[in-house]
Amino acid sequence: DIIISAQHGFFGLPEPRVGMIPRTGLHRLVRQIPYHLAKSIILTGRKISAIEARTIGIVSEVVPLDKLENAAEEWAEEIMECAPLAISACKQAIHLGLKEDLEGALATTYPLEEIMKASEDYQEGPRAFVEKRKPRWKGF
């Protein structure tokens, strides 16, 4: 979901350099970053630095190696401040919505979204906001 890289990290799809196709990687990369940038990485088989990967949107954050675990924990803590059902519903909508065109994705209500809307947490979030306090998520 979130990619954190150490500063010395490198990324690439080297398969074309050994006569193969990076099947999974190429289909994901052309959907994640600008088309021509993706093709330049895929068709050359070149490696890119962690900094370049951050610049073009492949990674979320680049940190020194000794701060990598800390950074991951900070991201996890920030996610855990959100309602668990909302996070699950977001992930499902993202993954299923990518299989549709934008209009179809926007018009669709996904199964976990329905579960989220029927939950106690769905009322807790706005209530906590109005009361100027942190929400107490139950996950149901």
Side-chain angles (χ1 to χ4, degrees), residues 12-34:
L13 297 171
E15 289 87 344
R17 290 185 174 262
V18 295
M20 301 173 81
I21 179 174
R23 233 171 127 63
T24 303
L26 75 86
H27 290 294
R28 289 185 174 161
L29 195 61
V30 297
R31 286 168 170 78
Q32 185 175 0
I33 65 172

Side-chain angles (χ1 to χ4, degrees), residues 21-94:
I21 179 174
R23 233 171 127 63
T24 303
L26 75 86
H27 290 294
R28 289 185 174 161
L29 195 61
V30 297
R31 286 168 170 78
Q32 185 175 0
I33 65 172
Y35 178 77
H36 290 97
L37 284 176
K39 281 182 70 175
S40 71
I41 292 168
I42 294 163
L43 298 179
T44 62
R46 74 178 173 93
K47 290 191 261 184
I48 61 170
S49 71
I51 299 298
E52 185 178 355
R54 171 67 177 101
T55 302
I56 63 176
I58 294 174
V59 301
S60 303
E61 184 176 11
V62 178
V63 297
L65 180 59
D66 63 333
K67 306 249 190 258
L68 194 57
E69 190 172 331
N70 231 16
E73 288 173 1
E74 288 173 8
W75 278 95
E77 287 170 11
E78 194 167 351
I79 292 168
M80 291 187 318
E81 289 179 16
C82 300
L85 290 173
I87 295 297
S88 295
C90 285
K91 287 182 65 168
Q92 182 182 64
I94 289 166

Side-chain angles (χ1 to χ4, degrees), residues 90-110:
C90 285
K91 287 182 65 168
Q92 182 182 64
I94 289 166
H95 292 287
L96 295 178
L98 282 172
K99 296 176 183 176
E100 305 179 51
D101 64 16
L102 181 58
E103 190 174 300
L106 291 172
T108 301
T109 301
Y110 299 95

